[in-house]
Amino acid sequence: MKVLIATEKPFAAVAVDGMRKVIEEAGAELVLLEKYASKQELLDAVATAEALIIRSDKVDAEVLAAAPALKVVVRAGAGYDNVDLEAATARGVCVQNTPGQNSNAVAELVFGMAVMMSRNMFNGTSGTELKDKTLGIQAFGQVGRNVARIARGFEMNVSALDPYCPDNVMEDAGVTPVHSVEELYRLNKVVSIHIPATPETRKSIGYDLIASMPKGGLLINTARKEVIDEEGLIRALDERADLKYAADVAPERAAEIKERFGDRVFFTPKKMGAQTSEANINAGIAAARQVISFLTTGEERFRVNK
Ligand code: 3PG
């Protein structure tokens, strides 16, 4: 059994050690492809792999076609918009994710950004505090729930929107449910986005929502850049000098946006939300275990291409 870990953005070494242990103790062989610079390297490496563990690495129809022995792909993380599920299903490849394993790391980044932006990037001017401010969480999944938990420590007033989550789950977490996206943006000074990138959510957050935020509004996006309508974001930032935007991974027009709006915007250079040793260990080892369970027993609990 050959298990390929292909990560353009590598896991922490300690996570790889743990994954190696799980894989080798099961009698499988681990092949490591890290920081690869071209798709061809990935195409060559998957040629003999039965299992593939990835992060945000793109697994499209071409990669799947180059992997005739492949049975399972595990995305060590939550979002699987980087995997062509239809092509995988057509080839009989099981695709899984590791939900929840890196969610605390992403939630902590939200607050790192919230404090930094509220303090004007620590540029010497007077900022604002998070205490008693309103926070709206867009999607109350694993990351959203961690954000709500941490927000309690900051004494923020938290509400959330999630059509898939019953109100009582939010209420039990001390969160006020809201039932429309318009309400979420209109009522909250800080909004934190945690929706997946799907055909329905792509470019779904644009001018109308962003420009409706209260005075001094801060939008934090640690989800996917694709959910933002960049034109609308730029227009809202242009018209409202009090608005700010921070994102984990730069938008397409990052340089232009940074140039125009300076300290009112912040972007990580690479997706950093899950880039902690703890998250790497949690998600990486979960992925290794899932691969081995699938190969040895056919276990499919976290399958996403039903
Ligand atoms: C996820 O979907 O789990 C996060 O965006 C993390 O992505 P990464 O593994 O590329 O850091």
Side-chain angles (χ1 to χ4, degrees), residues 7-9 11 54-57 75-82 98 100 102-103 106 143 222-224 248 271-275 280 283:
T7 48
E8 183 272 325
K9 180 178 63 189
F11 290 112
I54 51 161
R55 296 185 63 179
S56 289
D57 307 79
R75 192 282 191 241
Y80 43 86
D81 46 308
N82 49 323
T98 64
N102 57 21
S103 47
V106 181
V143 181
T222 54
R224 295 287 184 268
D248 185 20
K271 191 136 62 79
M272 295 299 293
Q275 201 58 331
N280 286 180

Side-chain angles (χ1 to χ4, degrees), residues 159-168 170-171 176-184 187:
S159 55
L161 169 74
D162 193 329
Y164 303 101
C165 176
D167 285 2
N168 68 301
M170 295 183 193
E171 283 156 359
T176 306
V178 299
H179 299 104
S180 81
V181 69
E182 289 77 17
E183 204 183 351
L184 189 82
L187 297 180

Side-chain angles (χ1 to χ4, degrees), residues 58-294:
K58 285 210 165 30
V59 175
D60 59 14
E62 189 185 7
V63 173
L64 291 159
L70 195 64
K71 297 189 178 79
V72 60
V73 176
V74 179
R75 192 282 191 241
Y80 43 86
D81 46 308
N82 49 323
V83 182
D84 185 334
L85 297 187
E86 258 179 49
T89 302
R91 292 192 164 270
V93 173
C94 172
V95 182
Q96 304 183 17
N97 66 347
T98 64
Q101 299 289 351
N102 57 21
S103 47
N104 181 64
V106 181
E108 287 191 12
L109 179 67
V110 170
F111 285 90
M113 287 176 163
V115 171
M116 183 180 68
M117 298 305 284
S118 302
R119 297 299 182 97
N120 304 329
M121 308 275 252
F122 311 113
N123 68 4
T125 62
S126 266
T128 56
E129 298 176 23
L130 296 178
K131 184 169 184 284
D132 295 330
K133 302 296 184 304
T134 49
L135 167 69
I137 301 175
Q138 190 173 5
F140 206 61
Q142 304 268 8
V143 181
R145 291 170 203 210
N146 276 285
V147 169
R149 174 180 54 77
I150 299 170
R152 279 206 299 276
F154 279 91
E155 297 185 43
M156 299 186 82
N157 298 316
V158 186
S159 55
L161 169 74
D162 193 329
Y164 303 101
C165 176
D167 285 2
N168 68 301
V169 172
M170 295 183 193
E171 283 156 359
D172 289 350
V175 171
T176 306
V178 299
H179 299 104
S180 81
V181 69
E182 289 77 17
E183 204 183 351
L184 189 82
Y185 279 73
R186 190 167 43 79
L187 297 180
N188 288 291
K189 184 156 176 156
V190 183
V191 172
S192 189
I193 303 172
H194 303 290
I195 51 176
T198 65
E200 293 74 39
T201 63
R202 266 169 228 271
K203 294 196 177 192
S204 62
I205 298 152
Y207 175 79
D208 289 347
L209 290 176
I210 301 169
S212 75
M213 291 181 75
K215 191 166 168 34
L218 165 63
L219 180 59
I220 301 177
N221 179 17
T222 54
R224 295 287 184 268
K225 65 180 177 197
E226 289 81 3
V227 303
I228 300 287
D229 169 17
E230 278 187 33
E231 288 303 324
L233 169 70
I234 293 169
R235 192 175 147 210
L237 289 170
D238 224 9
E239 287 181 12
R240 292 265 314 269
D242 59 309
L243 292 181
K244 295 179 181 174
Y245 178 66
D248 185 20
V249 99
E252 296 302 325
R253 292 164 62 184
E256 177 199 334
I257 296 174
K258 191 76 209 150
E259 169 80 30
R260 272 168 80 167
F261 303 112
D263 281 357
R264 291 169 52 209
V265 293
F266 172 79
F267 312 125
T268 54
K270 265 180 188 250
K271 191 136 62 79
M272 295 299 293
Q275 201 58 331
T276 65
S277 305
E278 293 89 339
N280 286 180
I281 290 168
N282 293 343
I285 292 179
R289 290 200 177 121
Q290 286 172 220
V291 155
I292 297 302
S293 303
F294 178 83

